[in-house]
């Protein structure tokens, strides 16, 4: 009898994780648009780690009806870093289906707030990139790059993930105050 109970209890996290992943995947289709009160764009150099985690946190924590979210890289094509996928899954957020998108595939005019996660604001100085650096809506969080400094145990990924959560919560609180 105890084995049956243990086996049933052992499946609860799996079922919960599958349900969370399915719900999360549905929520993240068309994450931004004119139907939202505000749209946030997270930028990074390659859209592979920090901006992906920020996107995941925002989609998870925001009131979906009022805050839309997207992420992109000044350059793209690197894919989402497996370490980012792993540490976000640890907190119940599935970003495994996210793609590494390019900033040029988006229009800055569609976003009320633009956040650089990596200090890439200095790379927004060419005429085609300047709309993204609008001082009214741009901020730079300048977070450490986990893949560059992690020793292999994902501790730096977790630290930056947790820092991003705090920053996203603050951002969402200020969004609601506006």
């Amino acid at each position: 009898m105890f084995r049956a109970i243990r086996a049933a209890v052992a499946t609860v996290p799996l079922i919960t994780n599958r349900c969370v992943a399915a719900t999360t995947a549905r929520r993240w289709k068309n994450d931004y648009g004119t139907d939202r009160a505000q749209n946030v764009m997270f930028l990074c150099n390659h859209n592979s780690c920090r901006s992906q985690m920020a996107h995941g946190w925002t989609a998870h924590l925001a009131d979906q009806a009022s805050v839309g979210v997207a992420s992109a890289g000044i350059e793209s094509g690197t894919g989402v870093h497996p370490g980012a996928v792993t540490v976000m899954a640890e907190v119940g957020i599935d970003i495994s289906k996210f793609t590494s998108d390019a900033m040029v595939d988006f229009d800055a005019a569609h976003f009320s707030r633009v956040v650089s996660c990596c200090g890439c604001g200095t790379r927004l100085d060419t005429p085609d990139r300047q709309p993204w650096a609008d001082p009214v809506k741009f901020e730079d969080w300048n977070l450490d790059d986990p893949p560059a400094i992690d020793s292999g145990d994902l501790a730096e990924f977790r630290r930056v993930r947790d820092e991003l959560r705090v920053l996203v919560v603050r951002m969402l609180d200020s969004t609601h105050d506006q």
Side-chain angles (χ1 to χ4, degrees):
M1 177 166 160
F2 289 113
R3 272 189 250 180
I5 293 171
R6 255 186 276 144
V9 170
T11 63
V12 171
L14 294 174
I15 293 167
T16 304
N17 287 340
R18 279 192 213 120
C19 292
V20 167
T23 303
T24 302
R26 277 195 305 276
R27 281 191 68 200
W28 290 340
K29 273 188 167 178
N30 303 317
D31 279 345
Y32 75 99
T34 56
D35 59 326
R36 309 295 172 87
Q38 294 192 37
N39 290 295
V40 178
M41 169 60 81
F42 290 103
L43 292 177
C44 246
N45 286 316
H46 298 285
N47 190 221
S48 64
C49 188
R50 293 163 285 190
S51 54
Q52 297 285 355
M53 291 192 290
H55 183 162
W57 275 123
T58 304
H60 181 74
L61 296 170
D63 173 6
Q64 188 182 8
S66 63
V67 179
V69 61
S71 62
I74 292 177
E75 299 166 15
S76 69
T78 58
V80 181
H81 195 286
V85 173
T86 298
V87 300
M88 291 302 286
E90 291 173 356
V91 294
I93 300 172
D94 181 8
I95 63 170
S96 65
K97 304 283 188 271
F98 282 22
T99 57
S100 180
D101 300 317
M103 184 177 73
V104 297
D105 295 332
F106 296 90
D107 183 347
H110 294 157
F111 296 92
S112 50
R113 180 173 279 184
V114 177
V115 178
S116 164
C117 296
C118 65
C120 67
T122 58
R123 295 185 60 201
L124 300 175
D125 58 352
T126 61
D128 61 320
R129 295 177 179 173
Q130 285 175 343
W132 291 100
D134 177 344
V136 174
K137 62 182 180 180
F138 181 81
E139 58 187 282
D140 200 332
W141 291 351
N142 203 13
L143 296 158
D144 290 334
D145 183 16
I149 60 175
D150 194 72
S151 64
D153 63 358
L154 300 180
E156 294 301 323
F157 283 87
R158 289 183 187 99
R159 179 182 60 80
V160 172
R161 174 203 63 200
D162 296 344
E163 289 174 6
L164 279 163
R165 184 184 190 286
V166 169
L167 291 166
V168 166
V169 166
R170 280 188 201 145
M171 178 194 72
L172 292 172
D173 286 346
S174 73
T175 298
H176 292 295
D177 294 340
Q178 294 176 356

